[in-house]
């Protein structure tokens, strides 16, 4: 009854699947460039350090509104990147160690602020860490239509009482609408700056010689990463968002080496892992975001097995072909 019992009504499972799809798509598209730049750990760092940014934003504004949280996350993400670069370039510490130092320190600052300054608020630290997709769809945004337009919509037969009640048209949960905007912005930015992102990801020196500001592209990517991470917090949490940043791109890279196809595979991966994750969560009654990650990990294993490049089947065929050639030459 996942898709037949009012999937897009209040608390419908359809909204949870849509939210998961949007989160995985946005995270996966950004994560592809982290993988190309060998910066997967930076996604981990920012996903943890934004906790400090959220805490500081609340202390300054006393609001859990979307804008303060976004600005706080963006600031903490940029601080994290700057801190990593500073430690790496100003000392003999390697970049991976600098990442570990930066994100654990900022995460610890966030934990301290939450426990000392925000313990009397309704801030849910567990929700930030693990997410709560079950809460998606508890209320739907709506618009008031004119009686004439409402009657015309009813006459089409495309709406029912879960979508149109009187003159009130119910659209979607606020979280889903926000994530739609974030995902569309990510898609537009990837399309507009495709060449710059591609060249700077593979060779920053070449990017500079072509007149591309590699530093600005890098900061823009880190900003997009911060916004995507904080937008996903209430749904999948700071821990599981790391998997959603890396697994889609890692899975797609096993199937092809062409970036445009990798980006399309990322969207397909997002659809499959979100739908399969919803069914797995209902089956074993567990955290939906965790179920989506497990479903995505299964897709990764399948992609590895059947990979035309690095998969065991492909390697077995190569060995068999070489063996047959060698046997023929000996004969």
């Amino acid at each position: 009854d996942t898709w037949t019992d009012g999937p897009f009504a209040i608390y419908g499972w359809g909204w949870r699947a849509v939210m998961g799809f949007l989160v995985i798509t946005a995270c996966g598209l950004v994560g592809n460039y982290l993988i190309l730049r060998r910066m997967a750990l930076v996604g981990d760092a920012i996903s943890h350090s934004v906790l400090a940014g959220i805490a500081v934003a609340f202390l300054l504004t006393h609001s859990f509104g979307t804008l303060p949280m976004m600005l706080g996350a963006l600031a903490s993400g940029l601080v994290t990147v700057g801190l990593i670069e500073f430690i790496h370039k100003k000392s003999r510490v390697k970049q991976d160690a600098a990442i570990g130092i930066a994100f654990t320190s900022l995460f610890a600052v966030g934990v301290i602020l939450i426990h000392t300054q925000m313990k009397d608020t309704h801030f849910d630290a567990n929700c930030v860490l693990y997410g709560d997709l079950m809460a998606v769809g508890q209320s739907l945004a709506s618009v008031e239509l004119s009686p004439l337009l409402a009657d015309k919509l009813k006459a089409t037969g495309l709406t029912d009482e879960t979508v149109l009640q009187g003159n009130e048209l119910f659209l979607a949960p606020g979280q889903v609408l926000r994530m739609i905007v974030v995902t569309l912005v990510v898609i537009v930015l990837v399309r507009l700056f495709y060449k710059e992102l591609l060249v700077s990801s593979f060779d920053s020196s070449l990017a500079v010689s072509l007149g591309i500001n590699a530093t600005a592209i890098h900061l823009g990517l880190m900003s997009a990463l911060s916004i995507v991470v904080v937008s996903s917090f209430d749904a999948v949490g700071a821990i599981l968002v790391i998997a959603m940043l890396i697994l889609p791109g890692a899975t797609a890279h096993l199937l092809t080496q062409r970036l445009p196809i990798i980006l399309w595979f990322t969207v397909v991966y997002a659809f499959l892992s979100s739908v399969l994750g919803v069914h797995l969560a209902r089956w074993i009654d567990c955290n939906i975001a965790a179920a989506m990650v497990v479903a995505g990990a299964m897709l990764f294993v399948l992609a590895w097995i059947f990979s035309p490049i690095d998969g065991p089947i492909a390697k077995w065929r190569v060995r068999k072909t070489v063996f047959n050639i060698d046997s023929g030459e000996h004969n």
Side-chain angles (χ1 to χ4, degrees), residues 6-186:
F8 295 105
I10 294 178
Y11 284 112
W13 282 88
W15 292 124
R16 295 157 187 164
V18 169
M19 186 66 175
F21 167 75
L22 294 170
V23 168
I24 298 170
T25 298
C27 289
L29 291 175
V30 174
N32 276 309
Y33 292 99
L34 297 180
I35 294 172
L36 289 176
R37 293 164 176 256
R38 303 180 186 276
M39 296 177 63
L41 282 176
V42 174
D44 187 4
I46 290 180
S47 69
H48 283 76
S49 63
V50 294
L51 186 65
I54 290 174
V56 171
F58 173 81
L59 294 177
L60 292 176
T61 65
H62 300 286
S63 170
F64 286 114
T66 301
L67 182 59
M69 296 298 100
M70 288 284 190
L71 293 176
L74 178 59
S76 62
L78 294 178
V79 168
T80 302
V81 173
L83 188 57
I84 292 170
E85 291 297 317
F86 179 81
I87 295 173
H88 175 53
K89 292 181 178 180
K90 299 297 182 179
S91 70
R92 298 176 61 186
V93 175
K94 301 295 184 182
Q95 188 174 42
D96 56 347
I99 291 172
I101 293 169
F103 97 76
T104 52
S105 301
L106 290 173
F107 183 69
V109 169
V111 171
I112 291 173
L113 289 175
I114 289 171
H115 282 276
T116 59
Q117 305 296 324
M118 301 171 64
K119 57 185 177 182
D120 295 327
T121 69
H122 64 280
F123 184 82
D124 188 350
N126 285 329
C127 181
V128 169
L129 293 177
Y130 307 115
D132 186 13
L133 268 174
M134 283 297 293
V136 173
Q138 60 183 346
S139 61
L140 305 180
S142 62
V143 293
E144 191 75 21
L145 303 178
S146 66
L148 179 61
L149 182 56
D151 290 338
K152 286 184 177 181
L153 276 177
K154 291 176 183 177
T156 63
L158 298 176
T159 59
D160 56 26
E161 61 180 9
T162 63
V163 177
L164 184 62
Q165 295 181 9
N167 296 337
E168 191 173 13
L169 178 66
F170 291 93
L171 299 175
Q175 306 103 306
V176 173
L177 292 175
R178 182 190 68 210
M179 204 64 217
I180 287 174
V181 173
V182 171
T183 304
L184 288 177
V185 168
V186 169

Side-chain angles (χ1 to χ4, degrees), residues 281-326:
R282 295 207 69 182
W283 179 35
I284 62 177
D285 189 22
C286 68
N287 181 283
I288 305 173
M292 289 180 179
V293 172
V294 170
M298 294 176 183
L299 293 175
F300 173 81
V301 172
L302 288 174
W304 170 69
I305 292 174
F306 295 103
S307 171
I309 306 168
D310 299 315
I313 295 177
K315 290 181 177 179
W316 174 78
R317 287 176 176 172
V318 170
R319 287 196 300 268
K320 183 179 179 182
T321 301
V322 172
F323 176 78
N324 290 336
I325 293 173
D326 289 342

Side-chain angles (χ1 to χ4, degrees), residues 215-232:
T215 302
I217 294 296
H218 177 71
L219 291 177
L221 180 63
M222 295 301 104
S223 300
L225 174 61
S226 301
I227 292 172
V228 166
V229 166
V230 76
S231 300
S232 308

